[in-house]
Amino acid sequence: MALAHTLGFPRIGADRELKKALEAYWKGDLAQAELQTVGRELRARHWQLQKDAGIDLLPVGDFAWYDQVLSHTLALGVIPPRFHDTLNDQDRPTLDTLFAMARGATASCCNADHGQHAQELTKWFDTNYHYLVPEFSIDQTFALNWEQLFDEVDEAHALGHRVKPVIIGPLTYLWLGKAKGAEFDRLDLLERLLPVYGEILNRLKAQGVEWVQIDEPILTLDLPLAWRSAFERAYHILQYSPLKKLVATYFSGLQDNLGLAVSLPVDGLHIDAVRDPEQLGQVLDRLPTYKILSVGLVNGRNVWRCELEQALAQLQPAQERFGDNLWVSTSCSLLHSPVDLEREDRLDPELKNWLAFAVQKCGEVAVLRDALNDPQAPGVQQALAASREVQASRAASGRIHKPEVQARLAAITPQDSQRRSPFAERIERQRAQLKLPAFPTTSIGSFPQTPAIRLARQAHKHGKLSANDYQDAMHSEIRHAVEIQERLGLDVLVHGEAERNDMVEYFAEQLDGYAFTRFGWVQSYGSRCVKPAIIYGDISRPGAMTVDWIRYAQGLTDKVMKGMLTGPVTMLMWSFPREDVSRRVQAQQLALALRDEVLDLEEAGIRIVQIDEAAFREGLPLRRAQWQEYLGWAVEAFRLSASGVRDETQIHTHMCYSEFNDVILAIAAMDADVITIETSRSDMELLDAFEAFEYPNDIGPGVYDIHSPRVPDTAEMVALMSKAVQRIPAERLWINPDCGLKTRAWPETEAALVNMVAAARQLRSQLA
Ligand code: GLN
Ligand code: ZN
């Protein structure tokens, strides 16, 4: 009989209970025992939800207090010395160790004068989830050190559940980490690491576990040869440890690692047939049928209902070949889905009927299993018919396809993505009109989001503050921001973004084709969650979205006011996208809507418009072979949004990260007149990429890090810019912070900007 399982379930809770408990614990408002209780209750509830939905094998080990990679790091004893004063009497890590590694050591949990910085946070493959990067030293040792997984297995057994513990595989774990201190190859640590895996498997065996899921998502990446051979080595060694092992791969296809994956000496393989349906056929041909084949056909990363009949058709050949050895699953862990659609009491019923969150996805996996095992079983035919009806109702719905959007898409010409003149000519016209000094100073857009601003926005949203009063409140914030910028002597001003809750949601709320949930939270990192908007239909712009605010701001000053928009690629990356049209088409639709906004701003007399593309780099596919395709449409979408304007209108873009080497050509191809980027944390190193390739347009390399309240002094910023001047001609350089200032408070913001303006003046006099 085919079996239903999930690769993992969201741990945050339908009401973000874990978030609330964690934050209360960190503030000292919740005792550790109470926090433990919240965790235990969430685990129990999540197992029961999955079981009730029909899942046979329940995941354990998907719960984490902060991050599953961090839990595994503790389990393996990879604890950098700077956190050792949080260990207990037996030199074992504690919850305080875990939180110190996640958030940095503060006075409350360790000796304040150690003030240890947290481990680095980085994106989990191509998702918006962030994990804590393990730090390996050259003499790294590993020791089983943390009981959480075993305790949770006991907990689940005590509740009568049949479980499948989930652990991160040894190769993926090493791959995700970083060598610290000396230069060495972290793959050299494998032989030292494997015995601890052996120990973990032995312990689980003693607890009566039958199957373990070993996550090796790096099998879907372009792997260096050494790593591929290490897979064979590692799993041959682990072969002698007990338990049936299911190696889980997800987020992309196995491709050139397919031969390797199917021949590992393990008992089962999971593949992601949502991201790469083609690989299913190849795996059917090559995976020995005495092994378990687990097929993920219910998408763990999006919110749409699964097309059950289509999925069933894909599963049928697998069943013919694998029979009872076929398992049905989600494509990846449900960590990346919102928890429960049933909570959404305000969603439009038609739209709601098209969606499935984690709980509903478990039900879909179970239906697929039942349909394979016994198509006549009660409920199966109804479920299939319901799914069919949903697809039909969607196809027939008038709200998805908009003829006017289709017509505009069809009418796009190559000229639409082309500024009228090349940069060299444009910049002359812009300089003549803008009359800015050398090293012009500006900021990235947002100013501090004070409690007063948030309160006003909330009150307005809940109908407690009239539109007029809200407008007055925002206008007064804009006046405040403009006054300060004038007083400080900045050259290009911004209105400060007080009216924006979030750089994507603000625009999504004003576009047609977007829907919003009340509880559709997905964990981003630790206690942080995001609630992405859902693109359900063709995107259009009923009216101007920012023009009134920016025009008001420009009216307050003779200086240049920069308009501020979120770009099409970022809008798409930070939303749940449609699955019935390509990402390229959705980006084009967004680009057309933004293009109209850019033109309306120009029409309103705004001479500089910034189009933020914070998510441009992260949209890059996992496999290099797919990069060109992505970069092609991403660049085109940006250009489509930006290219309607006259030569005199200056287009800025902003990207707040520092790994540009891979995408520098594409960034140049975006052809923004000015790009502001993050550089201060890398000591301007990043500019090497821009120099090596001779980036042609203007650049504002961020001169200070806005992620910390620290106020950098003028000399420091001058020193950084002096490095920049060695690489980029001075007349093409701008001076600005790394990113938006919304998370900062006013005192440090003003102090830092005073110094920044002073640095610009100093540089100008040096230049003269
Ligand atoms: N304009 C935005 C801001 O200043 C940019 C934010 C970002 O790049 N993440 O907040
Ligand atoms: Zn930024």
Side-chain angles (χ1 to χ4, degrees), residues 632-649:
W633 64 252
V635 169
E636 187 204 66
F638 179 84
R639 293 178 61 127
L640 187 57
S641 70
S643 299
V645 292
R646 294 180 291 124
D647 285 347
E648 288 76 10
T649 301

Side-chain angles (χ1 to χ4, degrees), residues 444 614 654-656 738-740:
I444 303 303
H654 164 70
M655 299 186 183
C656 37
D738 252 1
C739 193

Side-chain angles (χ1 to χ4, degrees), residues 122-154:
T122 199
K123 280 168 65 72
W124 176 247
F125 298 86
D126 60 350
T127 71
N128 272 328
Y129 178 80
H130 300 73
Y131 73 93
L132 285 150
V133 180
E135 294 174 20
F136 304 126
S137 63
I138 189 158
D139 54 0
Q140 188 66 53
T141 55
F142 300 93
L144 190 50
N145 234 328
W146 180 248
E147 295 291 308
Q148 187 180 343
L149 179 65
F150 311 115
D151 292 347
E152 289 175 7
V153 168
D154 281 342

Side-chain angles (χ1 to χ4, degrees), residues 401 406 538 577-586 589:
H401 305 284
Q406 305 289 333
D538 288 344
R578 287 164 72 173
E579 287 175 350
D580 57 337
V581 290
S582 66
R583 292 198 301 167
R584 169 168 186 265
V585 167
Q586 294 173 76
Q589 296 182 358

